[in-house]
Amino acid sequence: MSTFATRLIRWQPRHGRHDLPWQATRDPYRIWLSEVMLQQTRVATVIPYYRRFLARFPDLASLARASLDEVLMLWSGLGYYSRARNLHAAAAMLVEAHGGRFPREREAIETLPGIGRSTAAAIAVFAFGAREAILDGNVKRVLARHFAVRGVPAEKRTENRLWKIAEALLPSRNIQSYTQALMDLGADLCARSRPACGKCPLKKSCRANASGNADAYPRSRPRKALPARTTSMLLLLREGEVLLEKRPPAGIWGGLWCFPEIPSGEDARDYCFRRWGARVAGVAQLPPLRHGFTHFTLNIIPVVCRASPASSFVSEPGQVSLPLEDAAEAAVPAPVKRLLAGL
Ligand code: SF4
């Protein structure tokens, strides 16, 4: 029987994906951008973001010159904003320490902020043809099923075992077709639930398929109920403008523009007067909004305060009042965008 890699390499040209916007390039910058955007995010969501980002920052030098605010603005709505902050920091490092050139070796790529071993390997494979193994979530699933690996891939011991398997499978030629095939198979056929084993080029050797129980692999950690937090957000409007403030650089929505939060127990009207000297003519509470983070759920209570145009208003450093349509285009997280759209 032909090898695992040979079957995938033969399968890819006819059944794999060929039209993704980052496939027609060997430019490490473009490949890096796509790999980072694709972490935790679906292809269909990434494509318009990828195109907009490249239209604004067509190369490493333009990204390194940009302000973080501009980068976050283009990332707004894509989530996991540390990816954008790391991308920006890595671009500056590449320009300063590497003369604006992308390193070719996986180990060197891996030293850049926000790039783990699998992402570094994918860049080295697609940009430079390096013979490196990848192991993203989809590939872990394919290997765990094919080789009936019983452990939880998020645990180090199982992950190390999967890395060993991934390395041992690497073909000596056609590394790019092989890697692309593995990604395509994991995304399209070997789906998390109800994999399409009947169409899979690996079906004859796949142990999970033979057992008729592919869904049982890979095992996942028992899910804990996510804790919930609640916050009141202040949508302070004055003469068609809304007040936004910049979040601290690290942490949730780090560096993004957000509505100020009202401390618990505070009366919105009093708070606006005390903090900004704004006299509020009307207060309205909008329906609450839920937003899921990886580790908790945030319940947002939006409180709209309309300040009277005549009242004085002193904004603080790190705050800005923007016309509503400009605010929606700023570097704001998805729930803020939704609330702005509803105003
Ligand atoms: S045969 Fe099924 S379970 Fe096995 S690798 Fe293919 S799609 Fe996945």
Side-chain angles (χ1 to χ4, degrees), residues 1 107 128 189 238 320:
M1 192 195 284
E107 290 84 351
F128 306 116
L189 295 189
R238 187 170 166 271
V320 62

Side-chain angles (χ1 to χ4, degrees), residues 33 62 127 143 174 191 239:
L33 177 64
S62 54
L143 298 185
N174 295 318
E239 295 192 282

Side-chain angles (χ1 to χ4, degrees), residues 33-312:
L33 177 64
S34 69
E35 289 297 328
V36 171
M37 284 188 164
L38 287 165
Q39 291 165 359
Q40 334 264 0
T41 312
R42 303 164 69 87
V43 166
T45 309
V46 164
I47 289 174
Y49 278 89
Y50 176 80
R51 292 209 163 111
R52 274 198 300 271
F53 202 94
L54 276 182
R56 174 66 190 84
F57 305 123
D59 50 31
L60 196 55
S62 54
L63 177 59
R65 276 195 307 270
S67 69
L68 178 59
D69 214 39
E70 271 183 288
V71 175
L72 288 172
M73 200 170 79
L74 285 165
W75 209 272
S76 170
L78 197 57
Y80 300 96
Y81 295 93
S82 58
R83 294 182 297 176
R85 295 194 296 269
N86 284 329
L87 203 68
H88 185 244
M93 269 175 75
L94 284 168
V95 166
E96 278 162 28
H98 296 265
R101 294 172 75 95
F102 226 92
R104 298 177 70 92
E105 295 74 31
R106 190 258 302 164
E107 290 84 351
I109 300 173
E110 213 177 321
T111 62
L112 294 167
I115 302 189
R117 176 172 169 187
S118 186
T119 300
I123 298 167
V125 167
F126 291 122
F128 306 116
R131 193 169 168 271
E132 290 285 351
I134 61 160
L135 193 66
D136 62 14
N138 286 348
V139 176
K140 282 179 183 169
R141 189 168 57 249
V142 172
L143 298 185
R145 285 175 173 169
H146 187 273
F147 296 97
V149 175
R150 291 208 162 269
V152 177
E155 287 170 0
K156 206 71 210 153
R157 201 156 55 117
T158 309
E159 196 189 18
N160 288 343
R161 184 157 169 228
L162 291 170
W163 271 117
K164 286 216 164 68
I165 294 173
E167 282 170 343
L169 292 169
L170 287 180
S172 48
R173 294 193 320 196
N174 295 318
I175 186 71
Q176 287 161 336
S177 304
Y178 168 74
T179 307
Q180 188 63 54
L182 208 44
M183 288 176 163
D184 295 350
L185 185 85
D188 291 343
L189 295 189
C190 198
R192 203 178 298 267
S193 64
R194 291 192 288 163
C197 300
K199 296 183 188 165
C200 179
L202 304 172
K203 65 184 172 200
K204 290 200 177 126
S205 55
C206 176
R207 290 179 58 188
N209 182 39
S211 72
N213 197 15
D215 277 351
Y217 299 91
R219 273 178 51 215
S220 46
R221 277 197 178 123
R223 278 190 173 232
K224 285 197 221 137
L226 288 182
R229 290 187 205 161
T230 299
T231 185
S232 296
M233 283 192 180
L234 177 68
L235 285 65
L236 181 54
L237 301 171
R238 187 170 166 271
E239 295 192 282
E241 295 194 340
V242 63
L243 181 74
L244 297 176
E245 74 180 3
K246 194 170 251 215
R247 306 268 317 174
I252 289 158
W253 297 331
L256 273 83
W257 293 96
C258 217
F259 300 121
E261 292 177 57
I262 310 175
S264 135
E266 283 273 4
D267 175 81
R269 216 180 271 268
D270 294 347
Y271 187 67
C272 290
F273 182 68
R274 222 166 350 93
R275 193 160 171 199
W276 297 284
R279 291 195 186 277
V280 171
V283 178
Q285 191 171 309
L286 300 180
L289 201 68
R290 273 167 76 95
H291 185 75
F293 289 100
T294 332
H295 301 298
F296 69 98
T297 304
L298 186 65
N299 295 315
I300 300 169
I301 302 167
V303 181
V304 181
C305 287
R306 293 182 189 277
S308 89
S311 85
S312 65

